[in-house]
Amino acid sequence: ISYIILKLYYRSHLELREITNIFYISLTAPDAQASKFGSLWPLPQKVQISEVSFKLTSSSFKIVDAKESSAGPSCSLLQDAYRRYYEYMFGSTKKLGLSKSRRTGPSELTELQVWITSPDSECDDYPSVTSDESYELSVDLPFAVLKAPKVWGALHGLETFSQLLYEDEYGAKSVNATTISDFPRFAHRGILLDSSRHFLPIKVILANLETMAMNKFNVFHWHIVDDQSFPYLSRTFPQLSQQGAYHPYTHVYTPADVKMVIEFARLRGIRVIPEFDTPGHTQSWGKGQKDLLTPCYSGSKPSGTFGPINPILNTTYDFMNQFFKEISTVFPDAYVHLGGDEVDFTCWRSNPDIQLQQTGIILHPKVCFSFIVKLLDIVTTTNKGYMIWQEVFDNGVKLKPDTLIHVWKGNQEQYQNEMANVTSSGYQTLLSTPWYLNRISYGQDWHGYYKADPQDFKGTEEQKKLVIGGEACLWGEYVDATNLTPRLWPRASAVAERLWSAKDVTDINDAFNRLSMHRCRMVERGIPAEPLFSSYCPREYKGI
Amino acid sequence: ISYIILKLYYRSHLELREITNIFYISLTAPDAQASKFGSLWPLPQKVQISEVSFKLTSSSFKIVDAKESSAGPSCSLLQDAYRRYYEYMFGSTKKLGLSKSRRTGPSELTELQVWITSPDSECDDYPSVTSDESYELSVDLPFAVLKAPKVWGALHGLETFSQLLYEDEYGAKSVNATTISDFPRFAHRGILLDSSRHFLPIKVILANLETMAMNKFNVFHWHIVDDQSFPYLSRTFPQLSQQGAYHPYTHVYTPADVKMVIEFARLRGIRVIPEFDTPGHTQSWGKGQKDLLTPCYSGSKPSGTFGPINPILNTTYDFMNQFFKEISTVFPDAYVHLGGDEVDFTCWRSNPDIQLQQTGIILHPKVCFSFIVKLLDIVTTTNKGYMIWQEVFDNGVKLKPDTLIHVWKGNQEQYQNEMANVTSSGYQTLLSTPWYLNRISYGQDWHGYYKADPQDFKGTEEQKKLVIGGEACLWGEYVDATNLTPRLWPRASAVAERLWSAKDVTDINDAFNRLSMHRCRMVERGIPAEPLFSSYCPREYKGI
């Protein structure tokens, strides 16, 4: 089996134009052959592509509900997806098929039937960590069939079907007879975006949700507030963004904005998990909420600066209670990320009121400990599960058994030890350490992202099962609307394949060839995904 | 004197979210004060800003030729510039002043008079390395005056005037009474873009020329062809792009495209210097020009691969002669860049025909030597001067005294030695080594670009005078339309100030404050210039 979906030019280039002292990147060009898997990304679990090919025309081809499907025309999630993928496959300028009288050719594929097999399609639900995302795709005459227990698998199957299309030498849309059976290796496949260091306009967030769906990511971890700004407009505490946002009108997310993001994500099978990081990373909270932060002292007097959230006032917990009650209703996902990372004890240590409540050398971690314990109780009463950064586990805080420990620190050895420790304590975990995509460097750094494996640590099979996935993080110090999208894609795509495809999908040359085509497809769909190396796309990006 | 042009939020953030083993970047936020020079970038040589401020309205304000000016309404270069800057200052949606009856306020500035003082304005010329780019700007009532000997200075002065505008607390356009006297420190201030590793659509090139003008760059070094592709459509040798471009129709620069780029650049005071790099970096040339490249041998037989241009055939020089004759007519600039870097001798060494012509250990540098000597003779007959990469000088090729040696290799000590050697031999030189902007890294790498100084080497005053400037290079292996603009700006802006402003303009905090505002201005003008650090712009980028 061998065919070329997009004819990609690739030429060897002896890159000598290197500055002294900078390590050499791979000097030889990867194999210029197209992958036998074409442009599929991430690679499905089982793929069989035959040499038999069919044509498709925009005037005849239809995506329809199978008769037996439990999701009918009232399932707007699927109807929207059909429109979206029709447009990706045939372009938005073509007219929808009006020529009913046109006779279809002998090897023409005219229909993709989408068949939700479970009685409950979950069409109107939100996706969750236990959602069934599997699907089976059969491309053959007289029609292609996409079978999935739930709508979530159908969404992935539509993306996969669209990835099977290619243009033959005359530019005709074609697809080969194909059988695919697919499901994700990990249930939690996330992207973290940070809207605090820089405000991210809604348009940017939506475009990246769209791109996440093209890569089968299913969690948008919205690091929505932090020290620098508080763009979340709280109905209960509007002064938080009024005072804490970069601008109270132009740089905030209104309830309507948040609702739109959540629904846009749901329609693409993506969960939205907001992070409200406490007790550190809260400088912006203090602007609009009196007495929330700890006054730091210089000797016996307040210095005028503020530290983490003040853990010794009852008003703090009244506030947290009301605030997280609101969060639990605004964000439908079963989980909320509570942060808990990087708490600076200096200010607490300086404050005499906090000193009075504690003695002994481990006093300040204890203060933090007790704050977190109370916070977890509060969030538990809202019926939410929680994700937390690894420090909370490291400090020995008692956690609910369904808590997700988010590993982000250390070098490879350290994070592998951490994964082993967390899972041997029986907690579920997910990995981000090797996937800090904000850390840019010269050359093909996606190789490193691709090679990292969240189950690669010393532990039992039981422990490995506690790894639910990972997240690529794009922290926002150096990122805003001007550069976010090309910085994230296709580098995050490498993470997407690691988290979706089978463990043994590790051929970096095959990955290069598929990913090159996948990135050109993202470009063709209007996403400024940057190049992997010297190359061209048949249709280059139209923006600047 | 203290006023705020764009109110930039800036907050201290203790960035601890760092991966082990990666060096810490500056942890403290720079001074959050606005610069006393507002958002001026690059900083003019002499600036006096008073506290007296005037208002401007889009309905009354006009940019007009001064009566005494040697450039009148027929100078479309200036008329175009007036329109362009009016739009930058007041936005494209506002109506041009129709309300002639409106009475202007007492402290309203209604006119900027542009006065070209030299009898020959050079309006219809091309800019050159000796162009006078100086200007004087006086903002006061009853009208502001921009005086410049030539149109080139007037263009820079218009940019500077537009940078003086700010919005007062009610959003009214304002400008302070100001006196500026300005000229560039270096005559050659360039940007290298590479359209071979990735094809750059014309739209991208034009947008970056526009941005160059906002930063007072005056040379577009167009590294138009290389090993990977040959997008230049040659009238004399059309098969070069027919065979050597990534695609013969969609990925080429037609004569009309090239003409458009050159005129667009001229209207902004920017020279276009094309680079046709030989004898290495020519793999793509070989596709469309039979026998141009050296056949490499494996033992006694041709291996099927090709090396640098074949230096021992007469046909090679016939070709070069015709080719550079065309280039000399297509590109009006007095200089062409001939490359000459990174010649790989392995193939020449393997070829028995070349071996026959030479003996001794230094044979292959000699082959290169003689090729270059002949090429320089050819280009000299076209009446062009040439720029060459430093290797040609390093190899001791005899060069015309007006040759420009382009330094790009080594670490700081090495390039400083090279600058000393080149200038002590009496050649003019320009520097690129510290300004390889393709080499990205995490954090505020613009600091390094800002600190490098092309005259910082051991040498006499005479030697220092031979340094005509420098170029920021953005090689194209990892850059195309999707990511070029945010990767280049505002990092290249740091180089722009180094090359324009006085030697002692080195305050990094003041630079940070001005550059933050300058980058927001570029964003407001539609250029996706990336952020320097956590911050916001009043009007964020509208794209994705």
Side-chain angles (χ1 to χ4, degrees):
Chain A
I1 324 165
S2 155
Y3 61 91
I4 295 174
I5 291 196
L6 300 166
K7 189 177 142 209
L8 267 190
Y9 242 25
Y10 203 84
R11 296 170 188 217
S12 167
H13 165 58
L14 203 61
E15 169 59 43
L16 294 174
R17 208 180 283 275
E18 303 282 316
I19 304 283
T20 318
N21 291 337
I22 306 221
F23 73 101
Y24 268 66
I25 55 141
S26 162
L27 293 187
T28 51
D31 190 351
Q33 296 294 312
S35 166
K36 67 175 178 175
F37 299 115
S39 66
L40 287 172
W41 194 277
L43 193 66
Q45 300 283 346
K46 287 180 205 156
V47 186
Q48 278 194 306
I49 305 177
S50 95
E51 289 187 50
V52 178
S53 80
F54 314 121
K55 300 282 170 249
L56 302 86
T57 67
S58 63
S59 56
S60 296
F61 188 77
K62 285 181 187 60
I63 309 176
V64 298
D65 299 313
K67 279 196 199 96
E68 310 90 329
S69 180
S70 64
S74 67
C75 176
S76 62
L77 179 145
L78 282 185
Q79 302 303 319
D80 273 19
Y82 299 166
R83 252 203 313 278
R84 197 159 67 243
Y85 280 102
Y86 179 89
E87 226 174 272
Y88 280 148
M89 293 188 286
F90 298 106
S92 54
T93 53
K94 308 277 173 60
K95 293 244 189 274
L96 262 164
L98 295 172
S99 57
K100 287 198 179 160
S101 58
R102 177 178 169 278
R103 272 178 68 175
T104 56
S107 67
E108 183 174 337
L109 186 72
T110 55
E111 221 170 82
L112 170 63
Q113 298 190 355
V114 179
W115 179 0
I116 307 301
T117 57
S118 161
D120 179 8
S121 70
E122 298 185 3
C123 179
D124 297 313
D125 295 356
Y126 289 97
S128 78
V129 71
T130 57
S131 290
D132 188 333
E133 298 181 276
S134 70
Y135 67 92
E136 294 190 347
L137 180 61
S138 149
V139 179
D140 209 340
L141 293 187
F143 42 73
V145 179
L146 169 59
K147 279 169 75 169
K150 309 287 180 184
V151 291
W152 318 116
L155 291 171
H156 293 314
L158 286 165
E159 174 63 37
T160 300
F161 181 81
S162 77
Q163 294 188 357
L164 290 172
L165 262 62
Y166 61 97
E167 292 182 8
D168 74 5
E169 53 193 317
Y170 302 102
K173 300 282 179 192
S174 311
V175 64
N176 283 37
T178 301
T179 312
I180 286 177
S181 170
D182 202 12
F183 55 89
R185 180 175 166 210
F186 293 107
H188 187 117
R189 305 179 309 280
I191 296 276
L192 179 151
L193 297 183
D194 168 0
S195 57
S196 173
R197 274 64 178 243
H198 288 97
F199 180 78
L200 302 176
I202 288 290
K203 184 177 174 182
V204 171
I205 292 176
L206 300 187
N208 280 280
L209 287 167
E210 185 81 20
T211 318
M212 283 172 66
M214 298 176 200
N215 289 272
K216 297 189 170 66
F217 276 108
N218 67 351
V219 176
F220 169 36
H221 175 164
W222 194 351
H223 188 87
I224 191 167
V225 301
D226 205 299
D227 283 328
Q228 285 77 3
S229 75
F230 196 103
Y232 174 75
L233 199 166
S234 162
R235 269 183 270 228
T236 322
F237 300 100
Q239 68 276 23
L240 287 171
S241 60
Q242 189 70 31
Q243 303 296 327
Y246 280 134
H247 187 285
Y249 296 119
T250 59
H251 288 64
V252 296
Y253 302 109
T254 67
D257 290 335
V258 172
K259 211 167 180 173
M260 198 205 315
V261 167
I262 293 168
E263 180 63 6
F264 192 94
R266 187 188 81 81
L267 292 172
R268 285 150 186 83
I270 298 170
R271 303 160 57 200
V272 178
I273 300 183
E275 178 181 353
F276 289 91
D277 192 354
T278 62
H281 289 281
T282 48
Q283 288 293 303
S284 69
W285 301 48
K287 308 243 164 187
Q289 186 65 16
K290 200 169 160 299
D291 296 333
L292 183 65
L293 302 186
T294 308
C296 310
Y297 277 67
S298 173
S300 60
K301 286 180 182 167
S303 69
T305 64
F306 294 86
I309 285 181
N310 193 331
I312 59 166
L313 298 183
N314 288 333
T315 51
T316 290
Y317 300 99
D318 293 342
F319 167 81
M320 297 300 269
N321 204 356
Q322 287 184 71
F323 184 76
F324 278 99
K325 200 154 277 169
E326 171 183 321
I327 297 309
S328 74
T329 62
V330 169
F331 292 91
D333 199 81
Y335 284 83
V336 57
H337 201 304
L338 299 176
D341 59 322
E342 300 185 318
V343 183
D344 179 11
F345 299 134
T346 325
C347 181
W348 280 348
R349 210 173 282 143
S350 76
N351 184 300
D353 298 330
I354 295 181
Q355 283 173 26
L356 280 176
Q357 298 212 348
Q358 306 282 334
T359 53
I361 190 113
I362 56 158
L363 139 182
H364 302 98
K366 266 192 183 167
V367 171
C368 186
F369 188 105
S370 86
F371 170 84
I372 295 272
V373 169
K374 287 179 190 166
L375 172 63
L376 298 187
D377 284 347
I378 285 169
V379 174
T380 300
T381 66
T382 69
N383 287 318
K384 292 288 186 190
Y386 37 77
M387 296 173 65
I388 40 89
W389 295 110
Q390 69 179 74
E391 284 99 319
V392 180
F393 167 79
D394 295 347
N395 291 335
V397 176
K398 186 179 158 53
L399 301 160
K400 285 193 295 180
D402 63 341
T403 301
L404 305 180
I405 316 289
H406 197 162
V407 174
W408 69 276
K409 287 173 80 167
N411 59 24
Q412 186 179 10
E413 191 188 329
Q414 288 166 326
Y415 77 69
Q416 288 177 346
N417 286 340
E418 181 78 7
M419 298 290 280
N421 291 339
V422 169
T423 53
S424 76
S425 301
Y427 292 109
Q428 290 189 304
T429 184
L430 70 165
L431 181 64
S432 277
T433 312
W435 296 319
Y436 266 40
L437 270 56
N438 48 304
R439 309 224 62 120
I440 54 171
S441 60
Y442 189 63
Q444 300 210 30
D445 58 1
W446 69 274
H447 288 182
Y449 307 139
Y450 194 70
K451 284 171 187 161
D453 191 309
Q455 287 179 328
D456 187 12
F457 61 86
K458 287 187 189 131
T460 62
E461 278 311 297
E462 279 311 298
Q463 279 178 269
K464 302 294 171 84
K465 281 183 192 152
L466 291 169
V467 179
I468 62 159
E471 290 184 2
C473 300
L474 194 69
W475 296 99
E477 281 83 355
Y478 302 103
V479 173
D480 72 1
T482 61
N483 61 350
L484 185 147
T485 308
R487 189 160 291 190
L488 187 56
W489 309 104
R491 293 161 77 229
S493 303
V495 184
E497 177 148 303
R498 181 55 51 237
L499 294 174
W500 178 279
S501 304
K503 193 182 174 68
D504 61 358
V505 176
T506 54
D507 180 338
I508 198 91
N509 286 335
D510 190 67
F512 177 86
N513 294 325
R514 285 183 292 112
L515 188 52
S516 294
M517 296 202 272
H518 179 53
R519 106 85 191 176
C520 283
R521 177 170 47 230
M522 291 190 274
V523 168
E524 202 168 330
R525 293 179 181 182
I527 304 300
E530 66 179 21
L532 297 175
F533 197 46
S534 304
S535 62
Y536 85 104
C537 293
R539 296 175 188 92
E540 301 289 356
Y541 185 59
K542 299 274 185 240
I544 57 159
Chain B
I1 321 167
S2 155
Y3 61 91
I4 293 173
I5 292 195
L6 300 166
K7 190 177 142 210
L8 268 188
Y9 242 22
Y10 203 84
R11 296 170 188 218
S12 165
H13 165 59
L14 203 60
E15 168 59 43
L16 295 173
R17 210 179 284 275
E18 303 281 315
I19 304 283
T20 317
N21 291 335
I22 305 216
F23 73 102
Y24 269 65
I25 55 143
S26 162
L27 294 188
T28 51
D31 191 350
Q33 295 295 312
S35 166
K36 68 175 177 174
F37 298 116
S39 65
L40 287 172
W41 194 275
L43 193 66
Q45 301 282 345
K46 286 179 207 159
V47 186
Q48 279 194 306
I49 305 177
S50 94
E51 289 186 51
V52 177
S53 80
F54 315 122
K55 301 282 170 251
L56 302 84
T57 67
S58 62
S59 56
S60 296
F61 189 75
K62 286 181 186 62
I63 309 176
V64 297
D65 299 313
K67 280 196 198 94
E68 311 90 330
S69 180
S70 64
S74 69
C75 176
S76 63
L77 179 145
L78 282 185
Q79 302 303 319
D80 273 19
Y82 299 165
R83 253 204 310 277
R84 199 159 67 243
Y85 281 102
Y86 179 89
E87 228 173 271
Y88 280 148
M89 292 188 286
F90 298 107
S92 54
T93 53
K94 309 277 172 62
K95 295 242 187 277
L96 264 165
L98 295 172
S99 56
K100 286 196 181 161
S101 58
R102 176 178 170 277
R103 271 178 67 176
T104 56
S107 66
E108 183 174 337
L109 187 71
T110 55
E111 221 170 81
L112 170 64
Q113 297 191 355
V114 179
W115 179 0
I116 307 300
T117 57
S118 161
D120 179 7
S121 70
E122 298 185 3
C123 179
D124 298 312
D125 295 356
Y126 290 97
S128 78
V129 71
T130 58
S131 291
D132 187 334
E133 299 181 275
S134 69
Y135 67 93
E136 294 190 345
L137 179 62
S138 148
V139 179
D140 209 340
L141 294 186
F143 42 73
V145 178
L146 168 59
K147 280 170 76 169
K150 309 288 181 183
V151 291
W152 319 117
L155 291 172
H156 294 314
L158 285 165
E159 173 63 36
T160 300
F161 181 81
S162 76
Q163 295 188 357
L164 290 172
L165 262 62
Y166 61 97
E167 293 183 6
D168 74 4
E169 53 193 318
Y170 302 102
K173 300 281 180 195
S174 310
V175 65
N176 284 36
T178 301
T179 312
I180 286 177
S181 171
D182 201 12
F183 54 88
R185 180 175 167 210
F186 294 106
H188 187 117
R189 306 178 308 281
I191 296 276
L192 178 151
L193 297 183
D194 168 0
S195 58
S196 173
R197 273 64 178 241
H198 289 97
F199 179 78
L200 301 176
I202 288 290
K203 184 178 175 181
V204 171
I205 293 175
L206 300 188
N208 280 281
L209 286 167
E210 184 79 20
T211 318
M212 284 172 66
M214 298 176 201
N215 289 273
K216 297 189 170 67
F217 275 109
N218 68 351
V219 176
F220 171 35
H221 175 162
W222 195 351
H223 188 87
I224 190 167
V225 301
D226 205 299
D227 283 329
Q228 285 78 3
S229 76
F230 196 104
Y232 173 76
L233 199 166
S234 162
R235 268 183 271 229
T236 322
F237 301 100
Q239 67 279 21
L240 288 170
S241 60
Q242 189 69 32
Q243 303 296 325
Y246 281 134
H247 188 285
Y249 297 118
T250 60
H251 288 64
V252 296
Y253 302 109
T254 67
D257 290 335
V258 172
K259 212 167 179 172
M260 199 204 312
V261 167
I262 293 168
E263 180 63 6
F264 192 94
R266 187 189 81 81
L267 291 173
R268 285 151 186 82
I270 297 170
R271 303 160 58 199
V272 178
I273 300 183
E275 178 181 352
F276 289 91
D277 192 355
T278 63
H281 290 281
T282 48
Q283 288 294 302
S284 69
W285 301 49
K287 307 243 164 188
Q289 186 64 15
K290 201 168 160 297
D291 296 333
L292 183 65
L293 302 186
T294 308
C296 311
Y297 277 65
S298 171
S300 61
K301 286 180 182 166
S303 68
T305 63
F306 294 86
I309 285 180
N310 194 330
I312 59 166
L313 299 181
N314 289 334
T315 51
T316 290
Y317 300 98
D318 293 343
F319 167 81
M320 297 300 269
N321 205 355
Q322 287 184 72
F323 184 76
F324 279 98
K325 200 155 278 168
E326 171 182 321
I327 297 310
S328 74
T329 61
V330 170
F331 292 91
D333 198 81
Y335 285 83
V336 58
H337 201 303
L338 299 176
D341 58 322
E342 299 185 318
V343 183
D344 179 12
F345 299 134
T346 325
C347 179
W348 278 349
R349 211 173 280 144
S350 77
N351 183 300
D353 298 330
I354 295 181
Q355 283 173 26
L356 279 176
Q357 296 212 349
Q358 305 283 334
T359 54
I361 190 111
I362 55 155
L363 140 181
H364 302 97
K366 268 194 182 166
V367 171
C368 185
F369 188 105
S370 86
F371 170 84
I372 295 272
V373 169
K374 287 179 189 165
L375 172 63
L376 298 187
D377 284 347
I378 285 168
V379 174
T380 300
T381 66
T382 68
N383 287 318
K384 292 287 186 190
Y386 36 77
M387 295 173 66
I388 40 88
W389 296 110
Q390 69 180 76
E391 284 99 319
V392 179
F393 167 80
D394 295 345
N395 290 335
V397 175
K398 187 180 157 52
L399 301 159
K400 285 193 296 180
D402 64 341
T403 301
L404 305 179
I405 316 290
H406 198 161
V407 174
W408 69 276
K409 286 173 81 166
N411 58 24
Q412 187 179 8
E413 191 188 331
Q414 289 166 326
Y415 78 68
Q416 288 176 347
N417 286 341
E418 181 79 7
M419 297 290 280
N421 290 340
V422 168
T423 52
S424 74
S425 301
Y427 292 110
Q428 290 189 303
T429 184
L430 72 164
L431 181 63
S432 278
T433 312
W435 296 320
Y436 266 41
L437 271 54
N438 48 306
R439 310 222 63 121
I440 54 171
S441 60
Y442 188 63
Q444 300 209 31
D445 58 1
W446 70 274
H447 288 181
Y449 307 138
Y450 194 70
K451 284 171 186 160
D453 191 309
Q455 286 180 329
D456 186 11
F457 61 86
K458 285 185 191 132
T460 62
E461 279 311 297
E462 280 309 299
Q463 279 178 271
K464 302 293 170 82
K465 281 183 192 153
L466 291 168
V467 179
I468 62 159
E471 290 185 0
C473 299
L474 194 68
W475 296 100
E477 282 83 354
Y478 302 102
V479 173
D480 71 1
T482 62
N483 61 350
L484 185 147
T485 309
R487 190 160 291 191
L488 187 56
W489 309 104
R491 292 162 76 231
S493 302
V495 184
E497 178 148 302
R498 182 56 49 238
L499 295 174
W500 178 279
S501 303
K503 193 183 174 67
D504 61 358
V505 177
T506 54
D507 180 338
I508 199 91
N509 285 335
D510 189 67
F512 177 87
N513 294 327
R514 285 183 292 112
L515 187 52
S516 293
M517 296 201 272
H518 179 53
R519 103 88 189 176
C520 283
R521 177 170 46 231
M522 292 191 274
V523 167
E524 202 168 331
R525 293 179 180 183
I527 303 299
E530 67 179 20
L532 297 175
F533 196 47
S534 304
S535 63
Y536 85 103
C537 292
R539 295 176 188 92
E540 302 288 357
Y541 185 59
K542 299 273 185 240
I544 56 160

